[in-house]
Amino acid sequence: MLPLQVGRMCEEYFLRMRRHVYVTPKSYLSFLSFYKLVYAEKFKEVNNLEHSVNVGLLKLNQAAQDIKQMKVKLKDEEKKLRESEEQTNQLLVKVQSESAKAQKKSEQVGAFRDECLANKERIEVEQEEANRDLQQALPYLQEAENAVKSITAKDIVELKTMKTPSDIIRLVFDGVMILLQTKLVDVRMEAKVINKKTVDFIHDSFDETAKAMMADVRFLSTLFDFSKNEKDNINDETCELLMPYLELENFNPAVAKKASNAAEGLCKWVGAMVMYHEAAKIVKPKMDYLKIQTARVDVALRQLAEAEAELAQAQATLRDINKQFEAALSAKTELEQRALATKRKMDQANKLINGLAGEKTRCATLDVDE
């Protein structure tokens, strides 16, 4: 078959070129060798082309499968993105709500703090004024304490041994008993001799009460304790009862000293206690008022501390919600980027497949033909 074809080609060559070509066994064998070489090269090219076509078809099919998977993945990511967006929006609403609450609480606490501090400052100023007024009363208190300290047990013994104490001593003890709110005898008038002057005055309670008082070994300590702890129990009524004594011309420490050292000290004590009351009654209402106001401020400061603690808690809650919101926003952004990247890859793959659709058909046709 092949020799005949070679013969026909030689005749055709002669007709075209007007030259004879003779096929010898040697040239024929050379032709066969060349044919084998060309055949091997063409076979290799066809195999390479087949391999390329198969790989291309495989890649295109794989790309199509990848697109399907990316569609599923994109759908899942879009679902997660919607959920994340909804969660972020809810947190945003919560952040706005908690922020408004914290702001309102901060304003309330700030106003309350300013009010408390203003009241505290005002009370401190008033307290300083009251303390200055109180300092004016303290000398009388010191005088009363010094008067008691000036009386010795020997002076009291001296009084006890007096068979007929002078009227100034009797009246001084009446003053002491009035301050101590000891019961006195019924009021009746009688003549009293004080500093060699006779005056009509109230009958004293020395014999009935004062002697028993002096017999008590705690007498001086009772007076001292009264000066320390019960001085503020003196009232206007007590001082009013003492006024007739204090207004007597010779009811004073100098006259009392002539009768007894103890009488002098007790007379000073009675007068000093009355003077202390007169000075303290101006200060005491202020001190009582300040005590009440200070207590109110203390309560307000405790309430302020509680309010500040609540504010700190609200701010901590707000910070926590802000962190949650930032985390949710970051997660949402990450999901958006991932979804966008997936969509971009899918679009690129679709464009590639659509662009190679004709090539895919041609390759498939070649594959079938082969």
Side-chain angles (χ1 to χ4, degrees):
M1 185 69 179
L2 185 59
L4 294 176
Q5 290 179 352
V6 172
R8 285 196 297 270
M9 290 300 297
C10 289
E11 291 175 358
E12 185 177 348
Y13 182 77
F14 174 75
L15 292 174
R16 289 184 179 182
M17 307 302 295
R18 307 306 297 172
R19 290 181 66 182
H20 287 285
V21 176
Y22 299 99
V23 179
T24 64
K26 184 178 179 180
S27 63
Y28 182 71
L29 292 174
S30 177
F31 171 75
L32 288 177
S33 297
F34 180 72
Y35 178 80
K36 287 172 64 178
L37 180 62
V38 171
Y39 180 82
E41 290 179 355
K42 292 297 181 181
F43 185 79
K44 184 177 180 181
E45 289 179 4
V46 170
N47 280 339
N48 289 337
L49 179 61
E50 181 186 13
H51 178 72
S52 298
V53 168
N54 289 334
V55 170
L57 290 174
L58 181 63
K59 293 292 184 182
L60 289 173
N61 290 331
Q62 184 64 42
Q65 292 297 323
D66 290 343
I67 288 175
K68 289 181 180 179
Q69 292 177 359
M70 281 190 286
K71 285 182 178 179
V72 174
K73 183 179 179 181
L74 180 61
K75 186 176 181 180
D76 182 60
E77 288 178 348
E78 287 177 343
K79 180 181 178 182
K80 290 180 179 179
L81 181 59
R82 286 193 299 271
E83 292 175 353
S84 177
E85 187 173 1
E86 183 179 354
Q87 181 183 4
T88 303
N89 291 335
Q90 290 175 352
L91 283 172
L92 179 60
V93 172
K94 193 172 182 180
V95 166
Q96 292 172 343
S97 174
E98 292 297 328
S99 179
K101 289 180 182 178
Q103 180 64 28
K104 183 178 180 181
K105 190 69 176 178
S106 177
E107 292 173 356
Q108 291 175 345
V109 171
F112 191 38
R113 183 190 298 110
D114 293 341
E115 182 182 356
C116 287
L117 294 178
N119 287 336
K120 183 181 178 183
E121 184 177 353
R122 175 180 56 79
I123 288 173
E124 286 175 350
V125 171
E126 293 177 353
Q127 200 164 25
E128 288 179 4
E129 294 176 356
N131 285 332
R132 284 196 296 269
D133 293 340
L134 182 61
Q135 293 302 316
Q136 297 176 5
L138 291 180
Y140 300 113
L141 181 61
Q142 187 64 45
E143 182 181 351
E145 291 178 354
N146 291 337
V148 175
K149 290 178 181 178
S150 69
I151 303 172
T152 64
K154 182 180 178 181
D155 296 331
I156 299 300
V157 171
E158 181 185 350
L159 287 176
K160 290 180 183 179
T161 58
M162 289 182 180
K163 294 183 179 181
T164 56
S166 63
D167 287 338
I168 186 64
I169 294 175
R170 292 172 175 272
L171 295 182
V172 166
F173 268 93
D174 270 12
V176 172
M177 288 185 288
I178 290 173
L179 283 172
L180 297 179
Q181 296 186 355
T182 304
K183 186 177 180 180
L184 302 179
V185 297
D186 295 337
V187 176
R188 58 186 174 86
M189 302 302 292
E190 66 179 10
K192 295 290 184 182
V193 178
I194 303 174
N195 200 22
K196 299 180 181 180
K197 290 184 178 181
T198 303
V199 294
D200 289 331
F201 200 71
I202 304 168
H203 174 68
D204 63 84
S205 302
F206 185 85
D207 294 329
E208 293 83 358
T209 308
K211 288 183 178 181
M213 182 183 294
M214 284 190 295
D216 189 349
V217 294
R218 296 172 300 175
F219 174 60
L220 291 178
S221 61
T222 299
L223 297 182
F224 193 77
D225 181 70
F226 184 90
S227 303
K228 281 284 187 183
N229 304 315
E230 298 184 32
K231 57 186 179 296
D232 292 322
N233 292 332
I234 301 173
N235 53 43
D236 288 339
E237 184 180 358
T238 300
C239 292
E240 186 178 347
L241 292 174
L242 283 169
M243 288 312 297
Y245 295 85
L246 297 175
E247 290 175 353
L248 276 175
E249 181 181 355
N250 292 303
F251 189 90
N252 57 67
V255 174
K257 185 177 182 180
K258 295 177 182 179
S260 164
N261 287 332
E264 178 193 16
L266 293 175
C267 187
K268 287 181 179 179
W269 184 79
V270 171
M273 284 288 94
V274 173
M275 293 303 295
Y276 170 80
H277 170 72
E278 293 300 323
K281 74 178 182 180
I282 299 174
V283 182
K284 192 173 183 299
K286 293 183 180 180
M287 298 302 291
D288 292 341
Y289 168 77
L290 289 174
K291 189 181 294 184
I292 294 172
Q293 294 302 313
T294 301
R296 288 178 178 173
V297 169
D298 290 341
V299 171
L301 289 175
R302 286 196 296 272
Q303 292 174 345
L304 175 61
E306 293 173 359
E308 288 178 336
E310 291 176 2
L311 174 60
Q313 181 62 40
Q315 290 174 338
T317 302
L318 180 60
R319 285 194 297 271
D320 184 56
I321 294 174
N322 273 324
K323 287 181 181 178
Q324 294 178 21
F325 175 72
E326 290 172 0
L329 188 62
S330 177
K332 175 176 172 288
T333 303
E334 184 180 353
L335 284 172
E336 286 176 343
Q337 292 175 349
R338 283 164 51 189
L340 185 62
T342 302
K343 189 174 182 180
R344 188 162 47 244
K345 288 180 182 178
M346 191 173 69
D347 290 342
Q348 291 173 351
N350 275 325
K351 288 179 181 179
L352 179 62
I353 290 175
N354 292 333
L356 296 175
E359 191 68 21
K360 179 180 179 182
T361 303
R362 189 180 70 80
C363 290
T365 303
L366 287 174
D367 187 50
V368 171
D369 291 343
E370 290 176 359

